[in-house]
């Protein structure tokens, strides 16, 4: 089931977190993205707070040509990069949730209307990533 929030695209799929993450990574690559950063939130919570948390991973995805175009137009726009994609264990057993930021919403806070077309293209690619999972 796919849903849209004010700031993201979200889908619950009947598979493991590992399986969903593998599909997300393949779909990102197919859309020209690489994963720059990886955060295992569950591990961090365990290590830093001794708190158990569901499997929850944050992938910082970047499409280098688009990132270069954005940063070349405004050096500070790098504060809004990369595009985060989440993969975490769903509430129902045997499900995973995949979520991608809506880069059009993310870049809108810059007030740079000249980036609307770029943000729209990145948004379309990330939607296809979410659609490809499951």
């Amino acid at each position: 089931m796919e849903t849209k929030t004010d700031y993201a695209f979200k889908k619950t799929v009947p598979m493991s977190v590992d399986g969903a993450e593998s599909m997300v990574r393949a779909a990102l690559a197919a859309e020209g993205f690489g994963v720059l950063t990886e955060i295992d939130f569950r591990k961090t919570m365990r290590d830093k707070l001794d708190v158990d948390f569901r499997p929850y991973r944050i992938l910082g995805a970047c499409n280098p040509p688009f990132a270069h175009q954005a940063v070349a137009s405004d050096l500070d726009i790098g504060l809004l990069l990369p595009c985060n994609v989440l993969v975490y264990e769903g509430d129902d057993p045997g499900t995973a949730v995949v979520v991608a930021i809506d880069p059009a919403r993310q870049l809108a806070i810059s007030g740079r209307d000249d980036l609307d077309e770029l943000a729209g293209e990145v948004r379309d690619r990330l939607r296809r990533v979410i659609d490809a999972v499951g």
Side-chain angles (χ1 to χ4, degrees):
M1 168 166 75
E2 185 173 349
T3 58
K4 176 158 182 6
T5 69
D6 286 343
Y7 56 91
F9 307 104
K10 181 177 180 178
K11 184 177 189 180
T12 301
V13 293
M15 65 179 63
S16 69
V17 171
D18 289 339
E21 182 180 346
S22 179
M23 290 185 80
V24 164
R25 287 175 180 272
L28 284 168
E31 291 291 340
F33 290 88
V35 175
L36 294 178
T37 59
E38 302 176 33
I39 300 168
D40 183 338
F41 190 81
R42 179 184 199 183
K43 181 180 182 321
T44 300
M45 293 300 100
R46 188 176 333 132
D47 293 350
K48 302 293 183 184
L49 301 176
D50 197 28
V51 171
D52 192 29
F53 199 81
R54 70 177 78 196
Y56 190 105
R57 299 172 191 152
I58 305 168
L59 307 176
C62 178
N63 181 301
F66 292 140
H68 178 260
Q69 186 178 345
V71 173
S73 71
D74 180 351
L75 291 174
D76 296 337
I77 212 79
L79 289 168
L80 302 175
L81 303 178
C83 296
N84 284 330
V85 179
L86 306 175
V87 182
Y88 60 87
E89 184 177 75
D91 291 335
D92 295 325
T95 64
V97 179
V98 294
V99 187
I101 189 76
D102 179 343
R105 297 284 297 182
Q106 186 173 359
L107 288 178
I109 68 170
S110 73
R112 298 282 308 266
D113 295 340
D114 58 316
L115 295 175
D116 287 351
E117 186 176 331
L118 172 68
E121 176 64 26
V122 176
R123 178 190 58 228
D124 292 346
R125 289 174 184 246
L126 287 176
R127 285 227 40 166
R128 288 194 296 265
V129 167
I130 298 300
D131 289 345
V133 179

